[in-house]
Amino acid sequence: MQAEPLQTADPKRSLRRRRWRWLLALPLLALLATVLQVLALRFVDPPFTAFMAARQLSAWREGDWDYGIVYDWRDLDHIAPNLPLALVAAEDQNFPVHHGFDFKAIEKARRNNARGRKVRGASTISQQVAKNLFLWSGRSWVRKGIEAWYTVLIEALWPKRRILEMYANIAEFGDGVYGAQAAARSFFGKDAARLSAAECARLAAVLPNPARYDARNPGPYVQRRSNGIQRQMRHLGGSAYLERLD
């Protein structure tokens, strides 16, 4: 009886299978990379952020070779307690209790915008950290989706104190001036640990548009906003309010 010939594998079919396996694995590998990225930054202070890099490259493309980033990290213990309090009072008063997204603020902003009033955002401090640290500028749904994913990771892997420390160090307080220490030295000639409550409120007041508003020489808008922020700081209970972060 004659034996049947052995079946040989189709090399093209095997190659296609390997390609499909890699295509299916790539999203999982990308998700794992973001988890490791966020986890590492719980313990490692970033030398720069995606926003800083994009701003520097933009200046060079425009031929502004003299433009430079001013950035000097300081741990939260070396920043005046009134600054993180001012940031919470100005940007995200539910920061200690939400999990990255303030749905009440989002709904309020939606109703406000639906009435045709001035467009109002509802980004939390956690979302702003995700955007400034990892992403590019823009309003596309893809970017917003990635921002949401990073926000979830940040809230899951970092304590609230680390989130606020990161924000105080990477927020832009002036054109090219990032973080509490750089702002304190640039605008007030002192270290971040020596900032007064009024100075902290002025820094928080310029955050909607730091390229337009000036914490050192505040105009009427910044003065009004900083006065309101100081009232909110007192209403929240002062620095004791931030003890919830521990």
Side-chain angles (χ1 to χ4, degrees):
M1 183 175 178
Q2 188 175 5
E4 294 183 1
L6 295 173
Q7 294 288 333
T8 58
D10 184 348
K12 291 184 178 180
R13 182 178 298 176
S14 298
L15 180 60
R16 285 196 296 269
R17 287 175 180 171
R18 287 197 297 271
R19 286 176 177 172
W20 274 111
R21 281 197 290 266
W22 271 109
L23 287 174
L24 293 173
L26 281 176
L28 295 177
L29 292 173
L31 291 179
L32 178 60
T34 60
V35 171
L36 294 176
Q37 183 183 30
V38 173
L39 184 59
L41 287 172
R42 173 174 176 168
F43 307 102
V44 179
D45 302 330
F48 63 92
T49 68
F51 191 89
M52 293 178 199
R55 182 65 184 90
Q56 184 69 72
L57 291 173
S58 175
W60 286 342
R61 282 197 302 269
E62 294 168 2
D64 186 1
W65 300 103
D66 294 327
Y67 181 85
I69 299 297
V70 184
Y71 171 59
D72 189 2
W73 180 278
R74 284 294 185 275
D75 292 341
L76 205 58
D77 291 337
H78 296 109
I79 297 174
N82 277 311
L83 183 61
L85 178 63
L87 296 176
V88 171
E91 301 281 291
D92 186 5
Q93 293 188 20
N94 290 323
F95 174 71
V97 296
H98 67 60
H99 298 290
F101 306 95
D102 189 340
F103 294 105
K104 290 183 179 179
I106 291 171
E107 176 59 23
K108 184 177 179 180
R110 188 195 65 78
R111 292 198 304 267
N112 188 72
N113 297 338
R115 295 190 184 103
R117 297 176 182 174
K118 184 178 179 181
V119 175
R120 174 177 175 171
S123 292
T124 63
I125 285 175
S126 304
Q127 288 175 274
Q128 292 180 62
V129 167
K131 176 181 66 176
N132 292 344
L133 192 55
F134 299 113
L135 300 175
W136 62 93
S137 298
R139 295 181 178 274
S140 71
W141 285 108
V142 171
R143 197 203 65 81
K144 291 297 291 183
I146 299 173
E147 176 190 307
W149 170 245
Y150 271 114
T151 300
V152 169
L153 290 182
I154 286 170
E155 282 281 342
L157 298 175
W158 296 1
K160 287 285 189 178
R161 183 177 177 85
R162 177 60 172 174
I163 298 172
L164 193 54
E165 180 179 59
M166 187 69 72
Y167 187 53
N169 275 283
I170 68 172
E172 187 179 21
F173 292 104
D175 189 19
V177 179
Y178 295 88
Q181 177 66 10
R185 297 300 302 172
S186 297
F187 304 138
F188 306 118
K190 60 176 69 175
D191 287 333
R194 297 179 53 237
L195 289 169
S196 69
E199 290 165 342
C200 292
R202 280 157 63 182
L203 288 175
V206 304
L207 287 178
N209 194 337
R212 175 182 178 184
Y213 302 123
D214 189 347
R216 177 169 40 201
N217 299 305
Y221 169 81
V222 173
Q223 290 176 345
R224 288 195 305 271
R225 182 164 162 78
S226 62
N227 289 337
I229 291 170
Q230 287 185 80
R231 286 194 296 271
Q232 288 300 313
M233 291 163 67
R234 292 190 293 270
H235 179 71
L236 291 173
S239 58
Y241 177 77
L242 297 177
E243 291 177 4
R244 291 194 233 175
L245 302 182
D246 298 326

